[in-house]
């Protein structure tokens, strides 16, 4: 636990340590580059939770990459999903005819990604894939299978490596389970 979480450390348990995270991100990057060959890839970082994952992943993929940011708000500071997806920042470029990968921190109910896929598909990308660092398949409310998954985890609330609780703990270098 780093300084940001020290005073609450009794509420946190490390689930995925930093070295395992980094090793898996490298593997995902290599797999993605293999799948797309030399083609340019447009990576869409879903804010805010995937900003750290995206920063590491685009470097692990290498080659020709454009990075775009999409602001999405689905939780409102607590540990329960609201089911409401709000776009807080749209893309700054067209994705028509591009190979697009949406980079998400975690897929839980699947509602956010389901909404985003529908929203992006109408913009006619050449291909549209999903890469999520974490997957909580036990909690799905709509079908959603990501093309690239870092880790499948149990139905617990996690923080760190970009994921927050009330805007805190994004700076932890590992993934930790939070128990209220
Ligand atoms: P879904 O719409 O799939 O239920 O949830 C997707 C979003 O909910 C994620 O992008 C993330 O922002 C948030 N979320 C879901 N599970 C967790 C979790 O365990 N921890 C944190 N910090 N956010 C979560």
């Amino acid at each position: 636990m780093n300084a940001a979480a020290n005073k609450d450390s009794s509420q946190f348990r490390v689930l995925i340590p930093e070295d395992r995270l980094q090793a898996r991100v490298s593997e995902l990057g290599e797999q993605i580059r293999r799948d797309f060959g030399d083609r340019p890839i447009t990576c869409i970082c879903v804010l805010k939770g995937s900003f750290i994952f995206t920063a590491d992943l685009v470097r692990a993929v290498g080659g020709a990459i454009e990075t775009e940011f999409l602001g999405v708000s689905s939780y409102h500071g607590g540990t329960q999903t609201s089911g409401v997806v709000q776009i807080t920042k749209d893309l700054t470029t067209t994705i028509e005819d591009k190979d697009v990968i949406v980079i998400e921190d975690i897929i839980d109910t699947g509602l956010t990604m389901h909404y985003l896929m529908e929203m992006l598909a109408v913009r006619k990308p050449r291909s549209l894939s999903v890469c999520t660092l974490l997957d909580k398949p036990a909690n799905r409310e709509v079908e959603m299978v990501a093309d690239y998954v870092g880790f499948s985890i149990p139905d617990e609330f996690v923080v760190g490596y970009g994921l927050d609780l009330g805007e805190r703990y994004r700076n932890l270098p590992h993934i930790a389970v939070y128990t209220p």
Side-chain angles (χ1 to χ4, degrees):
M1 217 40 78
N2 75 5
N6 265 347
K7 73 184 174 74
D8 302 313
S9 58
S10 62
Q11 292 177 305
F12 296 94
R13 169 173 53 84
V14 175
L15 183 68
I16 308 170
E18 185 176 2
D19 57 345
R20 274 188 67 210
L21 267 181
Q22 294 300 335
R24 186 70 187 123
V25 172
S26 296
E27 283 174 6
L28 285 174
E30 285 165 19
Q31 187 186 349
I32 289 170
R33 188 36 87 198
R34 256 199 319 275
D35 290 353
F36 285 81
D38 294 338
R39 301 211 301 271
I41 303 170
T42 300
C43 287
I44 299 182
C45 168
V46 181
L47 296 171
K48 298 178 190 171
S50 73
F51 79 107
I52 292 180
F53 176 43
T54 301
D56 286 342
L57 186 69
V58 292
R59 287 178 288 180
V61 172
I65 296 218
E66 291 175 18
T67 310
E68 278 290 316
F69 298 88
L70 188 62
V72 170
S73 171
S74 48
Y75 275 5
H76 299 283
T79 60
Q80 296 295 307
T81 185
S82 64
V84 177
V85 180
Q86 192 187 350
I87 300 298
T88 56
K89 183 202 171 302
D90 205 344
L91 308 178
T92 57
T93 185
T94 174
I95 56 167
E96 191 169 344
D97 284 333
K98 293 182 177 170
D99 287 310
V100 173
I101 302 180
V102 183
I103 303 178
E104 181 61 297
D105 53 355
I106 184 165
I107 299 179
D108 184 17
T109 62
L111 290 169
T112 304
M113 191 49 79
H114 183 78
Y115 178 90
L116 293 183
M117 294 304 274
E118 288 198 336
M119 178 191 132
L120 295 170
V122 297
R123 301 184 187 187
K124 299 192 168 52
R126 176 179 169 190
S127 67
L128 186 57
S129 316
V130 175
C131 176
T132 186
L133 177 68
L134 304 173
D135 190 13
K136 282 202 270 192
N139 217 17
R140 282 293 195 286
E141 290 182 23
V142 289
E143 196 186 329
M144 177 50 61
V145 180
D147 303 273
Y148 304 95
V149 177
F151 300 89
S152 200
I153 63 167
D155 186 16
E156 294 181 289
F157 191 82
V158 291
V159 297
Y161 198 64
L163 289 105
D164 75 314
L165 172 61
E167 292 303 329
R168 288 185 59 196
Y169 311 113
R170 294 191 197 275
N171 56 335
L172 296 178
H174 52 258
I175 299 288
V177 172
Y178 170 78
T179 315

